Structures are given as C-alpha cells and as structure tokens.
Amino acid sequence: MSFGARDHELMARALALAARGAFTTRPNPMVGCVLARDGEVVGEGWHARAGEPHAEALALRAAGERARGATAYVTLEPCAHHGRTPPCADALITAGVRRVVAACGDPFMHVDGAGLQRLRAAGLQVEVGLLKAQAQELNRGFFSRIGRSRPWLRIKMAMSLDGRTALADGRSQWITCEASRQDVARQRARAGALLTGIDTVIADDPRLTVRLADEAAFEPPLRVVLDSNGRLPLFSRLLVDRGAPVLWLTRADIDVRSPGGHVEHATVPLQGGRIAMDAVLHMLARRGINEVQVEAGATLAGALLRAKLADELLLYVAPVLLGAGARPLFDGLDIGSMADRLGMTLLETRQVGSDLRLTLQPVH
C-alpha cells in the first residue's frame, strides 16, 4: 500500500485538527477528519467533547453534497456502534464517500476493526496505516487505557542545574520561570488526573488546578491524593478550592470522614506498606482517565520509576544551582553499579523562557 504526497499532507492536517481536542475530549480519543475530492478539501472536523458530534460527522456536515465521491482522511478508525452518537462508518457510507484512509485502528472493544469491516462491506476503498505512529502518539493515553488497563503516566518535576528540586528545608517556589509555570498549566490541562502524595500536600499545600486564562477551553482534571494513613488536612487548599474534583485515597482500615461535595474518598490496597500504585492506576483507568500527571516529591517519583510505572518524564531545568545540601530529584532508586543505572531516551529538548524542558522516556 502506497500513499502519495497529498495523502500525507491531508492526514497531517487531520492530525492537527485532532490535536485541538487535547484539553477537552477525554475520556474519548482525539480525532480529526478531512474530506477531499480531487485533492481539494471540501470539509473538515474534529471531535471536541464526549457526547458531541464526532470528527467525521462534522466534516460531512461541512462538505454537504461535495462529500459524494470524496476521500475521508481520519486519524482513528470510524466507529461502528451506537454510543452517545450514531456510527460514523454508517454516516460515511450514506454520504457516498468513495475512499477512507485511517491512520490507525481503534482498539476500543465496540470498534476494533468493526468500522473498517463495515466500510469495506459497503464497497468503499479502505486503507490503514498512514502516519500511524503519529496518530498513536497523539492518543497515547487512550491506547494505554484500552490496551494496558492503566493510564499513561507522566512525572513532572522542576530542578536546578545540579539536579536539586528544593532547598534542604523544602522551599522550592520558584525554581523555574513564569513561562515554565504556564507551560506546566497546559500540560495539566491535557491530563485527566493530577496525582500527588500526602507529604507534598502537607509541605507545599498545592491547589493542583490548571489556572489558565480560558477556563472554558479545558475540563478540570481530577486531583488525586495518595494518603495511606488519612492525614489530609481538612483546611488544605485541595479541599477548600472547589475548582476541580478530588479523589482521596487511603488504606481500607482508616476511618475518615469525607468532606463531601467535590471530594470523594476511596480505599486501595497496600503493597510493602505503601499504597499499591498498580491498583491506583487500574482504578483511574476504570474511571476513564487516559493520562495522569504526577506532581510529587522525590520519594513518590523514585518509587514510580523503580516500579517501572513511569511512561514519561517532563523535566524543567532552571539555570540555577541549589547546592549539595538541597533535595534530590529522586529517592530510593538504590543504584549500586553502572550496570543497574536507569536509562532514559531523550525525546525532545525545548527552551521555555529561561528554562529548558526535557521530555524523556525511561528505558525499561
């Protein structure tokens, strides 16, 4: 199967449209669609929110009669089931689309090949795999939740040039510049959940809210607190700030009184005296969380790396030095030899204001 230069251009456009839903589509995947006839774009669409029209439906609406005989470039296999919206495969068939180019299949059990099969059975020319890697990367959280039954887990940390995250007394505001803090807000807006530990809550009293100017442009992420012994202060800003829901996780034998309202209490099992992170991630997947952003201290960050649960590291490096007495980036890794070192793949380096943002993946 070969694709021409125009095919690549139009699928790239569909991916760019899909990315517009990064802050709003969850738990649904981001999907974009471009309809073209004789190489000319006749309709475009992207999925904005769960329950609202899918990308294909919006592109068909924009194209009208011009959709007949067109090629549809879709970043994910068109659905073939009745959910909150009608099947997109049927809509493409009814509109008279001649050819469908899908970047990749949809692993969701109600789709998973059924959409492509329906299109082929109706006589449409169907081709799959154009810019597949880019499409899967765009929806890495969705593919992780469906394929691994757990969200994509990203650890966000800020550090000095000498690899320190806070002074010895815990003070860390602000290591990074204002541009980096705004960039973190956008990363938070993409996540379905922001996760932290109780020690960070007690030390820093964070709000863990997005705080972008246009609050209508994103859905507030769920704020998750790991608190095995039930120490969450009832006057903490997490509980006072009602701008986003809170999930308070403790061990089962802790008797806590949930503050109610925007706060939900749930219990999870322990493993080695600590909350079992596998159980937490599976719980979040069942709640439709595609991506989790961890904002915590060295202990939790180190534990996640040690357990091989971290999928991505987002490190903001500030051009400052905090000294040998300051707090480290990770704790508890217990690396005794070079053979035991943890490797990282550097995916991206970007300057953000006066800081450097590194995107890395652990080599498991």
Side-chain angles (χ1 to χ4, degrees), residues 170-231:
R171 284 179 294 164
S172 62
Q173 294 182 334
W174 295 100
I175 293 177
T176 54
C177 67
E178 175 61 27
S180 286
R181 296 196 289 276
Q182 285 297 304
D183 193 69
V184 168
R186 288 188 288 272
Q187 296 291 335
R188 284 180 173 180
R190 177 182 172 121
L194 304 174
L195 186 145
T196 194
I198 187 60
D199 289 338
T200 297
V201 173
I202 292 173
D204 297 340
D205 194 19
R207 289 165 58 190
L208 282 186
T209 50
V210 173
R211 299 194 295 281
L212 287 175
D214 187 3
E215 294 189 1
F218 62 88
E219 300 291 332
L222 174 70
R223 297 175 288 178
V224 183
V225 182
L226 305 181
D227 181 19
S228 57
N229 296 317
R231 296 186 291 146

Side-chain angles (χ1 to χ4, degrees), residues 50-287:
E52 294 186 6
H54 287 188
E56 298 94 322
L58 292 171
L60 289 170
R61 183 186 303 173
E65 285 300 315
R66 294 179 298 172
R68 188 162 300 278
T71 295
Y73 297 87
V74 192
T75 60
L76 193 67
E77 174 183 358
C79 61
H81 68 291
H82 284 271
R84 284 184 278 187
T85 59
C88 292
D90 290 353
L92 292 167
I93 294 167
T94 302
V97 169
R98 177 184 59 84
R99 176 183 178 229
V100 174
V101 179
C104 59
D106 186 339
F108 186 54
M109 63 179 179
H110 295 301
V111 186
D112 198 13
L116 301 176
Q117 183 179 359
R118 185 172 299 184
L119 293 169
R120 289 188 175 112
L124 278 71
Q125 179 184 347
V126 177
E127 300 167 47
V128 185
L130 178 59
L131 301 186
K132 177 180 178 180
Q134 294 89 326
Q136 291 180 330
E137 172 64 18
L138 180 67
N139 280 307
R140 58 185 182 266
F142 173 75
F143 279 93
S144 177
R145 176 170 66 85
I146 301 301
R148 302 189 298 176
S149 298
R150 70 173 184 85
W152 179 271
L153 191 141
R154 174 173 59 250
I155 300 176
K156 186 280 298 182
M157 303 194 82
M159 70 177 192
S160 62
L161 284 175
D162 48 353
R164 304 292 167 166
T165 60
L167 296 175
D169 61 7
R171 284 179 294 164
S172 62
Q173 294 182 334
W174 295 100
I175 293 177
T176 54
C177 67
E178 175 61 27
S180 286
R181 296 196 289 276
Q182 285 297 304
D183 193 69
V184 168
R186 288 188 288 272
Q187 296 291 335
R188 284 180 173 180
R190 177 182 172 121
L194 304 174
L195 186 145
T196 194
I198 187 60
D199 289 338
T200 297
V201 173
I202 292 173
D204 297 340
D205 194 19
R207 289 165 58 190
L208 282 186
T209 50
V210 173
R211 299 194 295 281
L212 287 175
D214 187 3
E215 294 189 1
F218 62 88
E219 300 291 332
L222 174 70
R223 297 175 288 178
V224 183
V225 182
L226 305 181
D227 181 19
S228 57
N229 296 317
R231 296 186 291 146
L232 182 62
L234 296 182
F235 52 83
S236 66
R237 291 200 288 180
L238 277 170
L239 302 186
V240 173
D241 189 327
R242 296 176 173 268
V246 174
L247 179 61
W248 180 16
L249 300 179
T250 70
R251 70 176 196 255
D253 60 343
I254 293 294
D255 183 19
V256 300
R257 183 184 298 275
S258 175
H262 69 298
V263 181
E264 177 187 354
H265 172 251
T267 62
V268 288
L270 299 184
Q271 185 176 24
R274 296 183 178 275
I275 286 178
M277 282 306 302
D278 273 331
V280 171
L281 294 178
H282 289 314
M283 173 188 289
L284 295 177
R286 291 193 298 271
R287 291 167 175 255

Side-chain angles (χ1 to χ4, degrees), residues 175-180 317-320 350-357:
I175 293 177
T176 54
C177 67
E178 175 61 27
S180 286
V317 185
V320 298
R350 178 178 298 183
Q351 184 160 357
V352 181
S354 59
D355 302 330
L356 200 60
R357 189 187 80 187

